[in-house]
Amino acid sequence: MSLSESLGGLLPYCSLLHSLVLICLVAVVYKLAVLLIQRRDALRNFEAFTGPPGNWFFGHVLQFKQDGTDLDKMVKWGEQYPYAFPLWFGPCVCFINIHHPDYVKSIVTSTGDGLLVSDGQKWFRHRRLLTPGFHYDVLKSYTKLMLESVQIMLVKWEQYVSSGEPFELFEHVSLMTLDTIMKCAFSYDSKCQTESRTNEYIKSVYELTDLVNLRFRTFPYHNDLIFYLSPHGFRHRRACKVAHSHTEEVIRKRKKALEKEKDSERVQGRRTLDFLDILLLARDENQQGLSDEDIRAEVDTFMFEGHDTTASAISFILHTLACHPKHQNKCRQEITRVLDGKDALQWEDLTKMPYTTMCIKESMRLFPPVPGIARKLTKAITFVDGRTMPAGSLIGTSVYALHRNATVWENPNVFNPLRFLPENVSKRSPHAFVPFSAGPRNCIGQNFAMNEMKVAVASVLRRYQLIEDPARKPKIIPRLVLRSLNGIHIRIRALDA
C-alpha cells in the first residue's frame, strides 16, 4: 500500500477526531460562559450584602480549615456583619448566610424549597399523608420501645464503669437511636446494638454526610458528570447502595407482612399503626397512595433524620451535663422525684421534667444537631431592613451562629438552662431558637425526638454519674448533622459507687 493510500485511509479518522475536539472545545467554552454569567448575576444580586473577603477563585472555602474552628469563625463573622453576609463556594456558587431571628423569620415563613427535601406541592401532599404517624396516641406507644433500646446501651456501658476509662459516646448513641427508630417507626428489631460493632448502615450514613460536605466545598464537584466520574463519586454511589439496600429490605419485609392482611382496619386491630404502615396504606382524597420511589425516599429521610440528628443531640447533651455537674445533679434529683420509686419513665412522666427539658434545650442551643439549613428561594423576598433577594437565590441559615448571636443571647457561650424559663422565652423572638427549624417546614418528628432525648437522658442519669474528660474536648465540625472531629468522650461512674 502506498503512502498516499495510507494517509487517505487515515483522513476520515483525523476528521472525526478534529470534530470531537471541536465539540469538546465548544462545550468547555459554553460551560465557562454559563459560569461567568452565573457569577455576574450572583455579584449583582448580593451587592447589598457585605461580607468577609474571599479568594476570587476558591471563594471562602480555603478559610474553613475543618479543624473544629469553622463554626466559631461563622459566629465571629456574624459579629462583623449583622443579619447576613455572602459566602462563596468556588467562583460561582454563593449563599447568603443569615444569623439573626428577623431574617430567619422571613426565610422559614417563605415558600422556598429546601435543598434536601422535595419541592413544594409534592412536599405538602407527603406532609399531609404522614402527619397521622406523629399523633399523640402513636407517640405514646413508643415510650416503652425507647426505654428498651436505651437499656441495651446502658448495659454495654458497664464495661466502662469497671475500667474507669473514657469512651466515645457518638458510636454507642448512634446505634441506640437507629435501634429505636427501627423499632418505633418500622416495628423492626435490627439487633444493631448487639450483633454488630460497626453497623454497615451507620457507616454508610457517616460516609454520605462527609461526601456531601466534600462535594459542596469542592466546586468542580458541583458538576454532576465530574463528580460521577471521580473516586468520591464512586464512594458516594457505593454508600448510597448500602443505605438503599437497608431501606428496601425494611420495606420489603413490611409489604410481605401487609399482604397477609386484607385492609388497614385489620392491621390496626393487630397493633398500632407505625410510620411505615402509614406510608404504605396512606391514600389522598383521590385514593392515590405514594409511589414505591416516594416511599423509599420518605423512609430514607426518616431513618436518617430519626437516628443521626437525635444521636448528635443526645451525645452533646450528655457531654454538656458531664461538663456541668451541678446542673447534672439537679436533673437527676428531678428525675428521681418524678419516678417516685418506679423502675422506668412512663409516657405521662415526660411532661414532668421542666429543668431537665431546659437543660436539653440549652444544650441544643449551644450544639444544634443540624448546624445549618439551606434553601433556594422560589420568589423574591424583602427583609426587615429593606434589602432584597431575587428568586433563585441560595440562602443558608447558620443555626449555630443564630444560637450564639450576642445581640439575642446574653453571654451566649455560657451554659444557662434558665434561658428557657417561660418568662425568659416570652422575651425573645420565637425564631431565635430553631433546632427543629420553624414555620411550615419545621421538623415533623420533633415531638418524637424530644421524647427520645428525655427518655435517654433520664435513663442515663438515674444509673450513672457523667464525668468530663478534659483531655479530649470535642472539636465540632458541621456536616449534615453536628459532629466532633475527635469524637465525644466522657467517663462514667455507677451512682452507688
Side-chain angles (χ1 to χ4, degrees), residues 61 66 208-219 221-222 227 232-233 235 479:
V61 171
Q66 300 287 290
L208 285 171
T209 57
D210 288 340
L211 289 170
V212 167
N213 179 68
L214 176 68
R215 185 179 186 185
F216 191 65
R217 289 165 48 83
T218 309
F219 71 86
Y221 281 175
H222 296 173
F227 183 69
H232 294 108
R235 286 172 51 196
R479 293 293 184 263

Side-chain angles (χ1 to χ4, degrees), residues 375-389:
R375 184 164 291 186
K376 183 177 182 179
L377 296 181
T378 54
K379 65 178 182 180
I381 190 170
T382 300
F383 294 109
V384 291
D385 56 2
R387 292 186 286 186
T388 63
M389 296 295 300

Side-chain angles (χ1 to χ4, degrees), residues 4-295:
S4 60
E5 289 175 336
S6 299
L7 291 174
L10 288 174
L11 284 176
Y13 297 104
C14 292
S15 177
L16 178 62
L17 181 61
H18 179 269
S19 299
L20 289 173
V21 170
L22 185 61
I23 291 171
C24 290
L25 182 62
V26 170
V28 169
V29 170
Y30 172 77
K31 186 63 177 179
L32 286 174
V34 170
L35 292 175
L36 287 172
I37 292 171
Q38 188 178 343
R39 179 176 175 83
R40 181 202 65 189
D41 291 345
L43 288 169
R44 182 186 301 160
N45 294 338
F46 302 155
E47 62 184 356
F49 296 87
T50 58
N55 182 280
W56 73 272
F57 189 71
F58 293 103
H60 297 94
V61 171
L62 298 180
Q63 298 184 52
F64 293 115
K65 305 298 184 183
Q66 300 287 290
D67 60 356
T69 63
D70 293 346
L71 288 169
D72 290 329
K73 187 188 298 290
M74 295 286 284
V75 174
K76 289 182 180 179
W77 282 345
E79 294 170 355
Q80 294 176 256
Y81 306 99
Y83 292 99
F85 55 86
L87 280 180
W88 288 83
F89 296 88
C92 306
V93 176
C94 185
F95 276 74
I96 287 296
N97 182 79
I98 65 176
H99 52 87
H100 191 280
D102 293 343
Y103 265 46
V104 172
K105 179 181 179 181
S106 299
I107 294 299
V108 298
T109 56
S110 75
T111 58
D113 292 337
L115 294 182
L116 299 176
V117 295
S118 56
D119 59 51
Q121 290 301 316
K122 184 177 180 181
W123 170 87
F124 180 78
R125 177 174 178 264
H126 288 198
R127 179 83 172 213
R128 185 160 45 85
L129 291 175
L130 299 183
T131 297
F134 300 92
H135 188 271
Y136 168 92
D137 290 332
V138 177
L139 294 178
K140 183 178 180 180
S141 66
Y142 291 157
T143 307
K144 183 179 178 181
L145 297 173
M146 291 174 178
L147 282 166
E148 288 177 2
S149 295
V150 175
Q151 289 304 317
I152 293 171
M153 180 182 73
L154 297 184
V155 169
K156 291 166 63 179
W157 284 10
E158 284 298 322
Q159 59 182 309
Y160 304 113
V161 174
S162 55
S163 71
E165 293 296 316
F167 67 100
E168 204 282 315
L169 273 173
F170 206 105
E171 179 184 347
H172 288 271
V173 178
S174 288
L175 287 170
M176 182 272 291
T177 56
L178 177 60
D179 190 28
T180 299
I181 200 69
M182 296 296 286
K183 288 176 180 175
C184 294
F186 308 112
S187 302
Y188 185 92
D189 187 1
S190 67
K191 298 182 172 59
C192 62
Q193 293 196 79
T194 56
E195 292 189 354
S196 175
R197 181 170 177 79
T198 54
N199 183 275
E200 288 299 316
Y201 174 75
I202 286 184
K203 285 170 62 179
S204 72
V205 168
Y206 283 4
E207 185 160 32
L208 285 171
T209 57
D210 288 340
L211 289 170
V212 167
N213 179 68
L214 176 68
R215 185 179 186 185
F216 191 65
R217 289 165 48 83
T218 309
F219 71 86
Y221 281 175
H222 296 173
N223 181 278
D224 292 338
L225 180 61
I226 293 175
F227 183 69
Y228 183 89
L229 296 174
S230 71
H232 294 108
F234 172 77
R235 286 172 51 196
H236 184 270
R237 293 192 297 277
R238 184 177 60 189
C240 281
K241 184 177 180 180
V242 172
H244 288 160
S245 295
H246 183 265
T247 300
E248 288 164 358
E249 175 69 5
V250 172
I251 296 172
R252 184 188 64 78
K253 289 188 175 181
R254 178 56 56 82
K255 277 187 171 181
K256 188 175 180 180
L258 288 177
E259 284 173 1
K260 299 178 181 177
E261 303 289 347
K262 290 184 177 179
D263 51 47
S264 61
E265 284 76 19
R266 287 186 63 186
V267 177
Q268 193 158 14
R270 177 167 48 89
R271 56 176 167 75
T272 303
L273 291 179
D274 63 19
F275 178 77
L276 186 52
D277 286 325
I278 289 166
L279 274 177
L280 293 169
L281 299 171
R283 297 292 183 270
D284 60 18
E285 60 276 7
N286 299 317
Q287 293 303 304
Q288 294 296 312
L290 297 171
S291 68
D292 288 346
E293 182 181 353
D294 287 340
I295 289 171

